[in-house]
Amino acid sequence: MERKKVTIPNILKLYEAGERITMLTAYDYPSAAIADQAGIDIILVGDSLGMVINGYKNTLPVTVEEIIYHTKAVARGTSYSLIVADMPFLSYQAGMHDALYNAGRLIKEGGAEAVKIEGGRNITDTIKSIVRVDIPVMGHIGLTPQSIHRMGGYKVQGKDEKSHNALIEDARALEDAGTFAIVLEGLPEQLAKEITSKLHVPTIGIGAGREVNGQVLVFHDLLGLGGNIQPTFVKQYAHLKETAVSAIEQYIKEVKAGVFPGPEHTYK
Ligand code: KIV
């Protein structure tokens, strides 16, 4: 059956209807096609691609060019899901012109339908100017990986009263700035619940518990294709790394033994 492409108004309708929103990262054509076929609402071309598929220690080295390259591949593999592309480090922090120009490039060259920006009250003027030119913006607060050096590592945020209250103010400011949804990453469940109850736009959690309007995971984590360290918030729905390793081991054995290729894999 032909499915209608997910749009921003569709996401808001899901929220208003109380239906949970699903989001998953994808960084290339086959992973996007798999997520799209499964019926994910939103595909995020996250700057996590720097760590997950390029092996960087953190997300800071990721460039606008890399996000555009991967977003183009994702767009080619997607016919259903809404595509959101991450604004990487230094693509929006150095000035409004950069922010507008780079957000526009992710839409115009990458084929994204919205952008995601990390930060709270410090970034709302930038978000307002991007929203003003009709580029939908998803916010992202809590454990914001681009702030790794300030945070001193990937740590749960909002645990003391001051940062708890600051995150509520950040979420309100992002809503006022016009974000259509906000990612809450690495927060105590109670704080995520409180933020969600105060907003009129959907919250999408990762490591933020159950009381949010949707969930996001990294493609490779969900499918068991990632590294050996799994954060508590990840649920592996498959163990594809093990499957892949044993398939390749079998291929090696068969080539060495002269079993592959067989007559059925051979041109006459
Ligand atoms: O880059 C990313 O994949 C993200 C999600 C984890 C929210 O920002």
Side-chain angles (χ1 to χ4, degrees):
M1 199 182 71
E2 185 72 16
R3 299 174 303 172
K4 269 198 159 170
K5 178 103 177 67
V6 179
T7 62
I8 304 275
N10 295 147
I11 296 297
L12 299 178
K13 272 194 195 138
L14 290 180
Y15 168 66
E16 276 151 25
E19 192 177 321
R20 290 193 175 86
I21 297 159
T22 56
M23 180 156 106
L24 187 64
T25 68
Y27 313 122
D28 58 18
Y29 177 84
S31 59
I34 290 167
D36 189 82
Q37 187 181 329
I40 278 287
D41 297 315
I42 305 175
I43 291 180
L44 172 67
V45 187
D47 61 357
S48 54
L49 66 85
M51 298 171 78
V52 178
I53 61 168
N54 288 313
Y56 296 137
K57 273 212 225 54
N58 54 51
T59 59
L60 300 181
V62 176
T63 64
V64 174
E65 303 304 330
E66 285 170 329
I67 296 283
I68 290 173
Y69 174 84
H70 288 284
T71 305
K72 278 180 169 174
V74 163
R76 288 191 289 268
T78 305
S79 59
Y80 172 74
S81 315
L82 181 83
I83 303 171
V84 178
D86 240 343
M87 299 278 292
F89 180 63
L90 222 51
S91 68
Y92 58 96
Q93 291 91 339
M96 208 71 94
H97 174 269
D98 279 10
L100 265 175
Y101 182 68
N102 288 322
R105 288 192 69 198
L106 300 189
I107 304 287
K108 188 180 174 108
E109 296 175 45
E113 291 146 343
V115 300
K116 177 168 80 57
I117 300 187
E118 294 184 13
R121 283 162 291 172
N122 58 326
I123 208 72
T124 48
D125 286 343
T126 303
I127 290 176
K128 280 182 198 162
S129 68
I130 298 175
V131 169
R132 211 176 291 133
V133 296
D134 280 344
I135 297 176
V137 177
M138 177 179 278
H140 182 167
I141 54 171
L143 192 173
T144 44
Q146 291 176 24
S147 318
I148 182 168
H149 296 312
R150 171 178 57 75
M151 296 182 305
Y154 298 117
K155 297 174 180 166
V156 175
Q157 302 294 299
K159 285 173 99 169
D160 59 60
E161 198 184 335
K162 192 169 165 219
S163 61
H164 176 112
N165 294 338
L167 282 163
I168 294 173
E169 288 314 309
D170 282 338
R172 282 200 171 114
L174 288 179
E175 175 176 316
D176 290 346
T179 54
F180 74 94
I182 302 174
V183 169
L184 303 180
E185 178 166 357
L187 298 183
E189 185 171 58
Q190 186 53 36
L191 172 55
K193 179 180 179 183
E194 204 177 324
I195 291 173
T196 300
S197 72
K198 289 182 193 302
L199 298 184
H200 305 93
V201 293
T203 56
I204 300 181
I206 175 161
R210 296 157 290 182
E211 307 286 341
V212 286
N213 305 120
Q215 296 290 334
V216 51
L217 280 179
V218 165
F219 185 90
H220 297 66
D221 290 345
L222 183 154
L223 292 175
L225 277 166
N228 296 331
I229 304 164
Q230 286 298 322
T232 310
F233 62 81
V234 169
K235 179 168 177 184
Q236 285 188 356
Y237 288 83
H239 301 282
L240 296 193
K241 188 174 175 185
E242 286 157 29
T243 309
V245 170
S246 75
I248 294 168
E249 283 171 350
Q250 186 62 20
Y251 165 69
I252 294 168
K253 264 192 212 150
E254 293 193 4
V255 171
K256 301 263 182 210
V259 171
F260 175 82
E264 70 278 30
H265 308 114
T266 307
Y267 296 115
K268 301 279 182 277

PDB file of all heavy atoms in Angstrom, residues 23 25 27 44 46-48 86 116 118 140 183 185 206 216 218, ligand 1:
ATOM      1  N   MET A  23      11.661   7.822  16.350  1.00  0.00           N
ATOM      2  CA  MET A  23      12.757   8.436  15.579  1.00  0.00           C
ATOM      3  C   MET A  23      13.971   7.504  15.674  1.00  0.00           C
ATOM      4  O   MET A  23      14.193   6.871  16.706  1.00  0.00           O
ATOM      5  CB  MET A  23      13.064   9.820  16.154  1.00  0.00           C
ATOM      6  CG  MET A  23      14.170  10.574  15.466  1.00  0.00           C
ATOM      7  SD  MET A  23      14.012  12.374  15.718  1.00  0.00           S
ATOM      8  CE  MET A  23      15.313  12.677  16.878  1.00  0.00           C
ATOM      9  N   THR A  25      18.186   7.099  14.017  1.00  0.00           N
ATOM     10  CA  THR A  25      19.212   7.670  13.143  1.00  0.00           C
ATOM     11  C   THR A  25      19.379   6.767  11.923  1.00  0.00           C
ATOM     12  O   THR A  25      19.095   5.569  11.978  1.00  0.00           O
ATOM     13  CB  THR A  25      20.588   7.789  13.836  1.00  0.00           C
ATOM     14  OG1 THR A  25      21.105   6.491  14.079  1.00  0.00           O
ATOM     15  CG2 THR A  25      20.506   8.593  15.128  1.00  0.00           C
ATOM     16  N   TYR A  27      22.346   6.878   8.419  1.00  0.00           N
ATOM     17  CA  TYR A  27      23.433   7.684   7.870  1.00  0.00           C
ATOM     18  C   TYR A  27      23.706   7.388   6.402  1.00  0.00           C
ATOM     19  O   TYR A  27      24.564   8.000   5.797  1.00  0.00           O
ATOM     20  CB  TYR A  27      24.726   7.427   8.657  1.00  0.00           C
ATOM     21  CG  TYR A  27      24.564   7.453  10.163  1.00  0.00           C
ATOM     22  CD1 TYR A  27      24.903   6.358  10.942  1.00  0.00           C
ATOM     23  CD2 TYR A  27      24.083   8.592  10.808  1.00  0.00           C
ATOM     24  CE1 TYR A  27      24.772   6.384  12.315  1.00  0.00           C
ATOM     25  CE2 TYR A  27      23.937   8.621  12.183  1.00  0.00           C
ATOM     26  CZ  TYR A  27      24.283   7.509  12.933  1.00  0.00           C
ATOM     27  OH  TYR A  27      24.135   7.541  14.297  1.00  0.00           O
ATOM     28  N   LEU A  44      16.737  10.597  11.657  1.00  0.00           N
ATOM     29  CA  LEU A  44      17.677  11.657  12.028  1.00  0.00           C
ATOM     30  C   LEU A  44      19.053  11.336  11.455  1.00  0.00           C
ATOM     31  O   LEU A  44      19.626  10.288  11.764  1.00  0.00           O
ATOM     32  CB  LEU A  44      17.774  11.756  13.563  1.00  0.00           C
ATOM     33  CG  LEU A  44      18.873  12.689  14.088  1.00  0.00           C
ATOM     34  CD1 LEU A  44      18.556  14.151  13.735  1.00  0.00           C
ATOM     35  CD2 LEU A  44      19.055  12.536  15.586  1.00  0.00           C
ATOM     36  N   GLY A  46      22.046  12.095  12.317  1.00  0.00           N
ATOM     37  CA  GLY A  46      22.666  12.688  13.500  1.00  0.00           C
ATOM     38  C   GLY A  46      24.162  12.885  13.299  1.00  0.00           C
ATOM     39  O   GLY A  46      24.804  12.137  12.554  1.00  0.00           O
ATOM     40  N   ASP A  47      24.707  13.872  14.035  1.00  0.00           N
ATOM     41  CA  ASP A  47      26.167  14.027  13.975  1.00  0.00           C
ATOM     42  C   ASP A  47      26.861  12.896  14.743  1.00  0.00           C
ATOM     43  O   ASP A  47      28.085  12.769  14.718  1.00  0.00           O
ATOM     44  CB  ASP A  47      26.625  15.413  14.441  1.00  0.00           C
ATOM     45  CG  ASP A  47      26.260  15.711  15.880  1.00  0.00           C
ATOM     46  OD1 ASP A  47      25.593  14.877  16.530  1.00  0.00           O
ATOM     47  OD2 ASP A  47      26.639  16.800  16.372  1.00  0.00           O
ATOM     48  N   SER A  48      26.058  12.026  15.375  1.00  0.00           N
ATOM     49  CA  SER A  48      26.605  10.788  15.956  1.00  0.00           C
ATOM     50  C   SER A  48      27.289   9.956  14.870  1.00  0.00           C
ATOM     51  O   SER A  48      28.082   9.068  15.173  1.00  0.00           O
ATOM     52  CB  SER A  48      25.497   9.970  16.627  1.00  0.00           C
ATOM     53  OG  SER A  48      24.425   9.739  15.730  1.00  0.00           O
ATOM     54  N   ASP A  86      21.219  16.937  11.433  1.00  0.00           N
ATOM     55  CA  ASP A  86      21.861  17.627  12.553  1.00  0.00           C
ATOM     56  C   ASP A  86      22.730  18.777  12.065  1.00  0.00           C
ATOM     57  O   ASP A  86      23.442  18.644  11.065  1.00  0.00           O
ATOM     58  CB  ASP A  86      22.782  16.630  13.281  1.00  0.00           C
ATOM     59  CG  ASP A  86      22.389  16.436  14.728  1.00  0.00           C
ATOM     60  OD1 ASP A  86      21.645  17.274  15.279  1.00  0.00           O
ATOM     61  OD2 ASP A  86      22.824  15.427  15.307  1.00  0.00           O
ATOM     62  N   LYS A 116      18.254  19.900  13.253  1.00  0.00           N
ATOM     63  CA  LYS A 116      18.285  19.802  14.716  1.00  0.00           C
ATOM     64  C   LYS A 116      19.491  20.570  15.234  1.00  0.00           C
ATOM     65  O   LYS A 116      20.574  20.493  14.654  1.00  0.00           O
ATOM     66  CB  LYS A 116      18.350  18.337  15.171  1.00  0.00           C
ATOM     67  CG  LYS A 116      18.446  18.196  16.695  1.00  0.00           C
ATOM     68  CD  LYS A 116      18.226  16.777  17.156  1.00  0.00           C
ATOM     69  CE  LYS A 116      19.429  15.879  17.017  1.00  0.00           C
ATOM     70  NZ  LYS A 116      20.654  16.342  17.723  1.00  0.00           N
ATOM     71  N   GLU A 118      21.633  21.697  18.870  1.00  0.00           N
ATOM     72  CA  GLU A 118      21.834  21.517  20.308  1.00  0.00           C
ATOM     73  C   GLU A 118      21.882  22.875  21.011  1.00  0.00           C
ATOM     74  O   GLU A 118      22.457  23.824  20.488  1.00  0.00           O
ATOM     75  CB  GLU A 118      23.156  20.778  20.565  1.00  0.00           C
ATOM     76  CG  GLU A 118      23.151  19.355  20.061  1.00  0.00           C
ATOM     77  CD  GLU A 118      24.429  18.596  20.398  1.00  0.00           C
ATOM     78  OE1 GLU A 118      25.242  19.070  21.224  1.00  0.00           O
ATOM     79  OE2 GLU A 118      24.613  17.505  19.821  1.00  0.00           O
ATOM     80  N   HIS A 140      17.378  20.417  21.087  1.00  0.00           N
ATOM     81  CA  HIS A 140      18.068  19.273  21.720  1.00  0.00           C
ATOM     82  C   HIS A 140      18.736  19.793  22.985  1.00  0.00           C
ATOM     83  O   HIS A 140      19.660  20.602  22.907  1.00  0.00           O
ATOM     84  CB  HIS A 140      19.100  18.714  20.732  1.00  0.00           C
ATOM     85  CG  HIS A 140      19.846  17.506  21.216  1.00  0.00           C
ATOM     86  ND1 HIS A 140      20.602  16.722  20.371  1.00  0.00           N
ATOM     87  CD2 HIS A 140      19.971  16.937  22.446  1.00  0.00           C
ATOM     88  CE1 HIS A 140      21.147  15.722  21.044  1.00  0.00           C
ATOM     89  NE2 HIS A 140      20.781  15.845  22.326  1.00  0.00           N
ATOM     90  N   VAL A 183      14.433  17.246  21.466  1.00  0.00           N
ATOM     91  CA  VAL A 183      15.073  16.022  21.972  1.00  0.00           C
ATOM     92  C   VAL A 183      15.531  16.277  23.408  1.00  0.00           C
ATOM     93  O   VAL A 183      16.165  17.293  23.699  1.00  0.00           O
ATOM     94  CB  VAL A 183      16.289  15.623  21.090  1.00  0.00           C
ATOM     95  CG1 VAL A 183      17.103  14.520  21.754  1.00  0.00           C
ATOM     96  CG2 VAL A 183      15.817  15.184  19.711  1.00  0.00           C
ATOM     97  N   GLU A 185      17.895  14.523  26.037  1.00  0.00           N
ATOM     98  CA  GLU A 185      18.880  13.429  26.109  1.00  0.00           C
ATOM     99  C   GLU A 185      19.510  13.370  27.496  1.00  0.00           C
ATOM    100  O   GLU A 185      19.916  14.398  28.055  1.00  0.00           O
ATOM    101  CB  GLU A 185      19.976  13.647  25.041  1.00  0.00           C
ATOM    102  CG  GLU A 185      21.044  12.557  25.106  1.00  0.00           C
ATOM    103  CD  GLU A 185      21.976  12.493  23.897  1.00  0.00           C
ATOM    104  OE1 GLU A 185      21.790  13.265  22.934  1.00  0.00           O
ATOM    105  OE2 GLU A 185      22.902  11.659  23.939  1.00  0.00           O
ATOM    106  N   ILE A 206      15.923  10.309  24.652  1.00  0.00           N
ATOM    107  CA  ILE A 206      16.947   9.257  24.511  1.00  0.00           C
ATOM    108  C   ILE A 206      17.654   9.236  25.862  1.00  0.00           C
ATOM    109  O   ILE A 206      18.263  10.232  26.276  1.00  0.00           O
ATOM    110  CB  ILE A 206      17.903   9.494  23.309  1.00  0.00           C
ATOM    111  CG1 ILE A 206      19.014   8.433  23.294  1.00  0.00           C
ATOM    112  CG2 ILE A 206      18.459  10.901  23.238  1.00  0.00           C
ATOM    113  CD1 ILE A 206      19.728   8.272  21.962  1.00  0.00           C
ATOM    114  N   VAL A 216      14.019   8.203  20.565  1.00  0.00           N
ATOM    115  CA  VAL A 216      14.993   8.110  19.473  1.00  0.00           C
ATOM    116  C   VAL A 216      16.124   7.187  19.912  1.00  0.00           C
ATOM    117  O   VAL A 216      16.517   7.204  21.085  1.00  0.00           O
ATOM    118  CB  VAL A 216      15.544   9.506  19.052  1.00  0.00           C
ATOM    119  CG1 VAL A 216      16.053  10.317  20.209  1.00  0.00           C
ATOM    120  CG2 VAL A 216      16.643   9.370  17.976  1.00  0.00           C
ATOM    121  N   VAL A 218      19.957   5.251  18.224  1.00  0.00           N
ATOM    122  CA  VAL A 218      20.919   5.162  17.126  1.00  0.00           C
ATOM    123  C   VAL A 218      20.710   3.802  16.434  1.00  0.00           C
ATOM    124  O   VAL A 218      20.619   2.767  17.104  1.00  0.00           O
ATOM    125  CB  VAL A 218      22.360   5.318  17.676  1.00  0.00           C
ATOM    126  CG1 VAL A 218      23.404   4.878  16.659  1.00  0.00           C
ATOM    127  CG2 VAL A 218      22.599   6.765  18.117  1.00  0.00           C
TER     128      VAL A 218
HETATM  129  O1  KIV B   1      23.434  12.710  16.717  1.00  0.00           O
HETATM  130  C1  KIV B   1      22.518  11.994  17.134  1.00  0.00           C
HETATM  131  O2  KIV B   1      22.383  10.818  16.751  1.00  0.00           O
HETATM  132  C2  KIV B   1      21.605  12.569  18.106  1.00  0.00           C
HETATM  133  C3  KIV B   1      20.599  11.655  18.745  1.00  0.00           C
HETATM  134  C4  KIV B   1      21.252  10.680  19.630  1.00  0.00           C
HETATM  135  C5  KIV B   1      19.520  12.407  19.423  1.00  0.00           C
HETATM  136  O3  KIV B   1      21.670  13.712  18.368  1.00  0.00           O
END
